[in-house]
Amino acid sequence: MDIGQPGDIPLRERGARVSGASQNSIQSLDEAIAESLDAPLERRLGLWSGMAIVMGSIIGSGIFSTPGLILGSVGSVGMSILVWVIGAVVSLCGCAAYMELGTMLPRSGGEKAYLEAAFPWPRELMSFVFCLASIFVCWPTGLAADAVVTGSYLLYAATGVSEGHPAWAERLIGVGVAVLCALAHAYCSRWAIRMQTALTVVKALLLVLVVLVGLSQLRHNALGHDVFKGTSHSANGYATALFKVFFAYSGYTALNYAVDELKDPARTLPRAAMGGLTATAVLYVLSNVAYFVVLSADDVRSAGTTVAGVFFTRVLGAVWGQRVVPVLIASATLGNVMCGTFAASRVIFAAAREGYLPLGAVWGA
């Protein structure tokens, strides 16, 4: 071709045009990323879905495995039930404090937003440290522990034996559970929320079943008259028991990490959180009463972490106690992992939008 022909674009001008187009496309991409980072989240969580998230975050394996350990720490049936009541009252006070913070600072991220407001100098240092610890230490270790518990109960249901499972098998199932929950929330958050709501319903119904079975056995109850006989005087025992109870009640702050997704957060957040925690506390206390109605104190103490299995074996037979109930408890811990993944992902999302993480445009978009 003759480069001197009229109508041909000189090479330098052509390069300038290409360079300008590239700069425009890069600028458009940057603007699109910035717009996605600033885009508001869809407010799709109402009162009932919020309560389901709170209850799903609280109810895990604790209520099914710790009553025997708590009884061993405090010594008597009455004191064991009283410790659960004290834990409920203290947790409700903590929940009220978090609801105050959540309505004063209605932003997702939970403690990240509160630390930013409480410690303005050095700028964002405390919130950055919190996000760092939560994302890389606190959330992963807690979710990993719950995932392994899910694996142990599934193996219990498969073998009919509560102990002696290979550690690698429990951990392998735990890895699968963690990956499943992460993928569900990453690729289809709406269906993941529906799944964890369904699992929460299963957990609540299981506790209701425990309570109803206990009430049906009131005529043959093993509580006795002196429920405080044998009460321990060891401060260490009470500290250990309260630690286990508080751990069983933990999770009532789950909605504080997703305030931007709540419909009318000023009304929904306190109602859903306080309502979910109150309903869970009632089920916890009544479930403990049911355990002690059906089983003697010695039976509960010797059952260790398999109280629920021994309870249903005594009332409904070995098939329920050794096959069905472990599956239901595994679904309870699976739901706990699902809800924990939901809350942890919102912390990652909020941290990424602040630029705390590498590839923030990916995690925060």
Side-chain angles (χ1 to χ4, degrees):
M1 183 195 307
D2 184 1
I3 61 173
Q5 281 185 336
D8 287 339
I9 301 174
L11 185 60
R12 181 177 298 176
E13 184 179 348
R14 188 185 305 170
R17 290 189 181 184
V18 172
S19 176
S22 300
Q23 290 177 357
N24 290 336
S25 63
I26 293 174
Q27 184 178 359
S28 300
L29 179 61
D30 291 340
E31 291 175 354
I33 292 175
E35 185 178 352
S36 67
L37 289 175
D38 295 333
L41 297 173
E42 180 184 357
R43 295 189 180 275
R44 58 191 175 193
L45 298 177
L47 175 62
W48 295 110
S49 56
M51 284 185 63
I53 289 173
V54 172
M55 294 183 69
S57 299
I58 298 173
I59 304 174
S61 62
I63 186 60
F64 305 109
S65 59
T66 59
L69 304 177
I70 292 171
L71 176 62
S73 297
V74 299
S76 67
V77 172
M79 186 56 67
S80 178
I81 296 174
L82 184 60
V83 164
W84 283 94
V85 174
I86 294 172
V89 172
V90 174
S91 297
L92 285 168
C93 293
C95 185
Y98 265 85
M99 296 311 101
E100 184 75 15
L101 291 170
T103 51
M104 288 175 59
L105 301 168
R107 300 196 300 272
S108 292
E111 290 89 344
K112 170 193 165 295
Y114 314 147
L115 290 171
E116 285 179 3
F119 300 96
W121 188 90
R123 184 173 178 272
E124 298 185 355
L125 175 62
M126 296 302 295
S127 58
F128 173 77
V129 172
F130 164 77
C131 291
L132 189 69
S134 297
I135 294 171
F136 293 104
V137 180
C138 301
W139 284 109
T141 53
L143 294 177
D146 286 337
V148 171
V149 170
T150 304
S152 66
Y153 273 103
L154 288 177
L155 291 173
Y156 182 10
T159 63
V161 179
S162 61
E163 298 178 352
H165 307 132
W168 65 265
E170 295 179 351
R171 293 170 184 172
L172 184 62
I173 296 175
V175 170
V177 167
V179 171
L180 172 66
C181 295
L183 291 177
H185 279 289
Y187 289 100
C188 193
S189 180
R190 187 183 300 274
W191 280 102
I193 291 173
R194 291 176 181 175
M195 184 186 301
Q196 66 192 33
T197 300
L199 291 172
T200 300
V201 172
V202 171
K203 292 190 282 187
L205 290 178
L206 178 58
L207 290 178
V208 170
L209 179 61
V210 170
V211 173
L212 293 179
V213 169
L215 292 177
S216 69
Q217 300 293 317
L218 278 176
R219 295 180 181 179
H220 313 287
N221 78 84
L223 276 174
H225 298 289
D226 191 1
V227 294
F228 288 95
K229 181 180 180 180
T231 299
S232 172
H233 300 285
S234 170
N236 181 62
Y238 287 103
T240 302
L242 285 171
F243 178 82
K244 291 182 173 63
V245 168
F246 290 146
F247 181 79
Y249 279 115
S250 64
Y252 53 79
T253 62
L255 285 183
N256 289 70
Y257 302 108
V259 175
D260 290 340
E261 299 174 62
L262 291 175
K263 302 174 183 177
D264 191 7
R267 292 168 58 86
T268 303
L269 177 63
R271 290 183 177 184
M274 295 295 285
L277 177 57
T278 302
T280 304
V282 171
L283 289 174
Y284 274 12
V285 174
L286 292 179
S287 295
N288 274 275
V289 173
Y291 288 147
F292 291 114
V293 166
V294 173
L295 304 174
S296 67
D298 291 335
D299 290 336
V300 173
R301 192 180 291 109
S302 61
T305 59
T306 60
V307 173
V310 174
F311 174 85
F312 280 106
T313 299
R314 178 71 59 86
V315 177
L316 301 176
V319 174
W320 264 85
Q322 298 176 5
R323 302 291 183 178
V324 179
V325 171
V327 172
L328 296 176
I329 297 177
S331 68
T333 54
L334 172 61
N336 202 253
V337 176
M338 286 285 293
C339 292
T341 304
F342 168 86
S345 65
R346 271 52 184 180
V347 175
I348 295 173
F349 182 81
R353 285 196 161 190
E354 294 291 340
Y356 295 167
L357 300 177
L359 301 176
V362 176
W363 309 118

